[in-house]
Amino acid sequence: MSNTNATRTSTAELQQLAAAGRWHVVETVAKSKAGHIGGPLSAMDLLVSLYFNELAIDPQQPQDPARDRFILSKGHCAIGLYAVLALRGYFPLEELATFDQGGSRLQGHPDMKLTPGVDSSSGSLGQGLSAGAGIAMAAKQLGAGFHTWVMLGDGELEEGMVWEAVHTARRFKLDNLTAIIDLNGLQQYGWPVTEDGDRFDRSNPWAGVDLEGVFDGFGWNVVSINGHEFNEIQAAFDQVRAARCSGKPTVILAKTTKGKGISFAEGTYKWHNGVATPEQLAIAAAELGQAFEGEAK
Amino acid sequence: MKAQRDVWGQTLVDLARSDNRVVLVDGDLATSTKADLFADAFPDRFFEIGIAEQNMVGVAFGLSTLGYRPWLSTFGVFLTHRALDPIRMLVSQTGAPVKIAASYAGLLNGSSGKTHQDIEDLAIMRAMPGMTVIAPADAAEAEAAIRWAAGYDGPVYLRLARDAVADVFDPGHAFNPGAVHVLREGSDAILVSTGVQTSRVMDAAELLTEQGLEVRVLHVPCLKPVDEAALLSALSGSAPIFTIEEHSIIGGLGGLVSELVTSTTLGKTVTRLGLADSWSESAPNAYLLDKYGLSAQRVAEQVRHALADD
Ligand SMILES: Cc1ncc(C[n+]2csc(CCOP(=O)(O)OP(=O)(O)O)c2C)c(N)n1
Ligand SMILES: [Mg+2]
C-alpha cells in the first residue's frame, strides 16, 4: 500500500498534534467522568509520531491487508489512541465524546471489532506482544512486507507473558516486529521508593534492573531514547527500518514522564487515572495552548 | 477402536493438504499429543512456541488476524487454566477462528495425577460467550468434529481424550454442532453423557439390560451450542435423568442439563454423576474409573441403586 505519509509532518506540527491529543484526553475523560490520564499523556508524543510519520496506513481503508499494524498493549491508555486516531482521520473528533458511553465504538479498552484502526483488542495487560508476534509470524509466512508495532507500559512488563513473547520474537527472528516501552517510571500504585519513604513517592518499577541489558540478553536490538523528543523518536524509527533484515526484533525503550504536558499530572501515580475539575481543565488548556470555554462540554 | 489423539494429528495433516489456512501452534508437547505428525508433514506450518501457553494463545490469535485458522495444541489443562485470560480476551471476545485442541482432557491422562487432569474445562469453556464447546465420543466423532471446526469461522474448544474407548459411531460419522444423539432407547431411566464417557455409558446400559432395566442413552457432543428443543424432548417422559461425565459435577454436562430442566416445567430431578467436587490422583485408568464411579460397572450400579430407592 502507499505510505500516505510521503511528506513528513514537521516537528512543530507534531508538537501541535500532541498538545491537541493531550487536551482531548483530559477533556474527554472529564466529560465521561472516568478514565486514564497519566499513561495516555506519556505515550502521546510516541503515538503522534507513529501515526503521522511512520505507520503505512490509510484511515480510509482501516482493514487494508498491507497496512502496518499497531497494538496498544497497555489498553487502559485507549483514550490516547482514540484521540490520535481521530486526529489522523479514522473517525470524527466529535465521536470522542461518546467514549465509555453505552453503545459507543470507543470502549474503555480497545476493541478491534468496534473501532476502525484498532488492530487488536487489549485491556488485560501483557498480551499484546504475543499477538504482535503472531501477526509478524504470519506476515513472514505470507511474504507480507508490513511492520508490526506494539506499545507496552513499564508496569505491564511485570507480566510474565510479555517475556514469553520476548523469547518467541527472537526465536522466530521477527525483525518485522517492534516493541515500544513507555518507560514513564510509574504504574498504578507500585512500591514506595524506600521502605520508610513517603507514601506518595513511588519507585520506578525497574529500579535496579538493567532493562537494556535484559533485552540485549534476549537477543533484541535495543534503542534507548527520550520519548518526548521528536527527533529522537524519528531516529529510533529509522533504526527500526534499518534493522529490518537483522533477524532481530527491536525494542525502543522510551523514557517518558507520566502525565506529560499537564503540570499537576506530571510524575505522579495519582494521575494514573482521574477526572480533572473545571479549574484543573482551565490550567491544562492554558498549558497545552487549547481553547477552553470554562466547562467540560 | 482408535484413540482420539491418534486421529487428531492425521486428520489435521489431511486437512492441511487442501486448506492452507490450517497451521498448528504447539506447546512443547507434540510427541504426546501426536501433533508431531503434522510437524513432519508441514514443518513450515508448525509453530513450536515452547512452554509458554499464554503466549501461544496470543500468537495463534495474531496468526488468525491474517487469515490463518490456527490449532492450539497442548495438554488441555494448560490452556483452560494457565492461558484462560488470553483465550478470553483475544479469542472469545474477538471471535477469532482459533481452534483449541485440548489434549489429555478429563481424568484419564496416563497417570499424571491431578495437576494434569482437567475436570473443570467444560464448566470453564461453557461459560465463555461465543465459544463452541465439543467433547466427542470416540475417534470417528473426533475426526468429524475436527473437520467441522476447521471449516468454521470462529473459536472452538475441542476436548480430546488420550486413550481409546470402544467405538460409539461408525467411521464417516458426520458432526452437526448442537445435535443430540439418542443412542439407545429405554423407559426406566435417561442416561445423558458426553465425551468418551458415552462409550462407557453404552456399556453400562448393556449391563443394566442384563439386569432387567432398559435405559435411554443420550450423547451430547456439543455442550455449546446445543439444540435445546431436541435435548428437552429427549429428556421428557417420566424416567429419571442421570448425567454422567468424566468431569466435575459442577458446571459441565450436569450443569447444562440441570439449567435446562429447571428452566422448564418438566419438573424432574437430575442426578449428576462425575467428580463430586474433589481432586483426583495418579492411578491406572481402571482404578480411577472405578473409584470415581465412571466405569460401566459403577455407572450401572449407581443407576440401579437410585432406581431401587425410588
Ligand atoms: C492483567 C492486568 N492486571 C491489572 C490491570 C489493572 N491495571 C490497569 S493499568 C495498570 C498499571 C499499568 O502501568 P503501566 O504499564 O506502567 O502503564 P502506564 O504507566 O503507561 O499507564 C494496572 C495494574 C490490567 N489492566 N490488566
Ligand atoms: Mg508506566
Side-chain angles (χ1 to χ4, degrees), chain B residues 3 13 22 60 73 89 100 113 116 135 147 161 166 177 180 186 190 244-245 247 263 281 290-291 304:
Chain B
V13 168
V22 175
S73 174
M89 184 177 83
I100 304 167
H116 286 51
R147 290 183 184 279
V180 173
I190 303 170
I244 306 134
E245 59 198 308
H247 184 271
S263 67
E281 66 205 279
D290 182 63
K291 176 160 178 180
R304 198 158 27 83

Side-chain angles (χ1 to χ4, degrees), chain B residues 82-288:
Chain B
R82 185 65 157 257
L84 184 60
D85 192 11
I87 288 175
R88 179 174 185 272
M89 184 177 83
L90 293 174
V91 178
S92 179
Q93 293 188 349
T94 68
V98 171
K99 319 298 168 182
I100 304 167
S103 264
Y104 285 47
L107 197 58
L108 310 183
N109 57 17
S111 305
S112 297
K114 58 179 171 284
T115 54
H116 286 51
Q117 288 158 336
D118 198 355
I119 51 158
E120 312 102 87
D121 60 327
L122 298 176
I124 293 168
M125 299 315 287
R126 205 165 75 76
M128 194 82 43
M131 186 66 71
T132 296
V133 182
I134 307 172
D138 60 6
E141 192 169 40
E143 175 172 349
I146 293 163
R147 290 183 184 279
W148 174 83
Y152 169 68
D153 187 18
V156 176
Y157 176 77
L158 183 66
R159 183 185 229 236
L160 295 170
R162 175 183 186 271
D163 296 327
V165 291
D167 292 340
V168 172
F169 294 107
D170 294 330
H173 168 71
F175 177 80
N176 242 327
V180 173
H181 301 273
V182 181
L183 298 178
R184 192 180 171 114
E185 270 303 355
S187 54
D188 293 319
I190 303 170
L191 275 45
V192 194
S193 190
T194 188
V196 291
Q197 181 61 31
T198 295
S199 177
R200 294 185 288 264
V201 169
M202 287 298 279
D203 291 345
E206 202 59 48
L207 293 175
L208 287 166
T209 296
E210 287 164 18
Q211 295 156 6
L213 291 167
E214 290 298 341
V215 297
R216 175 184 298 170
V217 176
L218 303 183
H219 172 58
V220 182
C222 200
L223 282 92
K224 204 166 81 175
V226 67
D227 182 342
E228 294 191 354
L231 183 52
L232 267 178
S233 105
L235 291 170
S236 61
S238 57
I241 300 168
F242 297 83
T243 61
I244 306 134
E245 59 198 308
E246 193 186 317
H247 184 271
S248 166
I249 58 169
I250 297 173
L253 178 70
L256 165 69
V257 170
S258 303
E259 290 157 22
L260 197 61
V261 167
T262 53
S263 67
T264 66
T265 53
L266 219 50
K268 296 172 71 166
T269 50
V270 176
T271 304
R272 292 167 297 141
L273 305 181
L275 277 283
D277 199 18
S278 71
W279 298 115
S280 175
E281 66 205 279
S282 299
N285 290 355
Y287 176 97
L288 293 174

